[in-house]
Amino acid sequence: MQPIYDFTGKVALVTGASRGIGLATAKAFAESGASVVLADRDEATLAAAVAQLTAAGHTAIAVPCDVAVEAQAQALVERAVATFGRLDMAYNNAGILGPWGPVTDETEAGFDDVHAVNLKGIWACMKHELIQMEKQGGGAIVNCSSLGGLVGLPNRAAYHSSKHGVLGLTKCAALDVATKNIRVNAVCPGTIDTPMGDGIDEAMLKEIMREQSIGRLGRAEEIAAAVLWLCSDGASLVLGVGLPVDGGFTVH
């Protein structure tokens, strides 16, 4: 059973929102009464996602955005505020897996691509979300890290280092705004049944699932439920955390 929140009159922004965890979270915000801004760099799937929400009677807009470009992240936040007048909640979810292989095989270009989206992209979005939230006097932000932000695995140096960085960004930003009625936290999903998860090497997936104690893949809606809780008044004393939602992977 999903928890029920009343976000009527509030505005939520979700990046990487055209599918998977991002779309599930956008839907959850919308079903809780929020107006939702969906952002993604894949314009076709983004348009389809927004059409799905508006057809169900929800208020949502699409904003194409490459979060790795700060000017686009800034324009995203400005579009949200121009359309709805404020920004109450944000889930910075956009991320990529990047290449697999030992660190000695990683290329500079591959490393830079992963960090541009997974780390710089969250920094850029969070920066401009915080600027707006400080102006209006409050808000809540959740960044998407990963179990890869809490542990190390072989052949994943670029990805895991980017996700470790997300937790560092989250902690520092949370302290920057702790007295300004703004909370910044992160979720650390385990292996989730999403299109992004389809890109995981089969041998690596088997290895991961041996450690995911619950014995199954997670569902995108389970991550969405954690994000909404962190944005709700129920988490009013929670800030700067990296919340594992990983079926017990990091308990080991």
Side-chain angles (χ1 to χ4, degrees):
M1 179 181 293
Q2 291 280 20
I4 297 173
Y5 301 101
D6 183 4
F7 292 139
T8 303
K10 294 191 175 183
V11 179
L13 184 158
V14 180
T15 67
S18 68
R19 59 183 189 164
I21 294 171
L23 179 54
T25 305
K27 285 181 179 178
F29 276 129
E31 289 168 357
S32 297
S35 299
V36 187
V37 180
L38 287 78
D40 204 289
R41 63 185 182 184
D42 186 332
E43 295 190 32
T45 57
L46 179 63
V50 170
Q52 186 182 143
L53 292 187
T54 56
H58 304 303
T59 302
I61 63 168
V63 182
C65 179
D66 181 350
V67 298
V69 180
E70 185 187 355
Q72 292 192 33
Q74 180 178 359
L76 166 63
V77 174
E78 290 174 349
R79 174 72 183 284
V81 177
T83 303
F84 296 118
R86 58 187 298 108
L87 178 62
D88 300 288
M89 304 168 288
Y91 176 43
N92 297 316
N93 169 72
I96 60 174
L97 283 173
W100 295 82
V103 65
T104 50
D105 289 346
E106 289 185 337
T107 65
E108 181 178 12
F111 185 91
D112 287 348
D113 285 347
V114 170
H115 280 252
V117 177
N118 292 4
L119 187 56
K120 181 187 174 186
I122 284 186
W123 165 81
C125 290
M126 183 172 62
K127 171 183 173 179
H128 292 283
E129 292 156 1
L130 287 173
I131 289 170
Q132 172 59 31
M133 289 177 179
E134 287 190 42
K135 288 179 183 177
Q136 68 190 34
I141 294 173
V142 179
N143 297 322
C144 190
S145 180
S146 165
L147 68 84
L150 299 169
V151 301
L153 290 173
N155 300 314
R156 304 301 296 127
Y159 180 80
H160 281 234
S161 60
S162 71
K163 293 300 188 176
H164 273 71
V166 169
L167 294 182
L169 281 176
T170 298
K171 292 173 183 179
C172 292
L175 294 175
D176 285 345
V177 297
T179 61
K180 298 180 180 181
N181 195 34
I182 304 170
R183 293 182 300 102
V184 183
N185 291 290
V187 287
C188 299
T191 307
I192 309 300
D193 186 9
T194 67
M196 184 174 177
D198 293 341
I200 298 176
D201 175 82
E202 185 175 347
M204 179 60 74
L205 181 60
K206 288 181 180 178
E207 183 68 26
I208 291 171
M209 289 309 299
R210 276 198 287 268
E211 302 296 328
Q212 192 147 310
S213 305
I214 201 169
R216 64 168 173 83
L217 293 172
R219 297 186 294 272
E221 293 77 12
E222 292 174 310
I223 308 303
V227 173
L228 264 65
W229 175 69
L230 286 170
C231 288
S232 76
D233 291 341
S236 59
L237 198 60
V238 181
L239 69 161
V241 306
L243 178 65
V245 191
D246 64 359
F249 188 102
T250 52
V251 172
H252 296 282

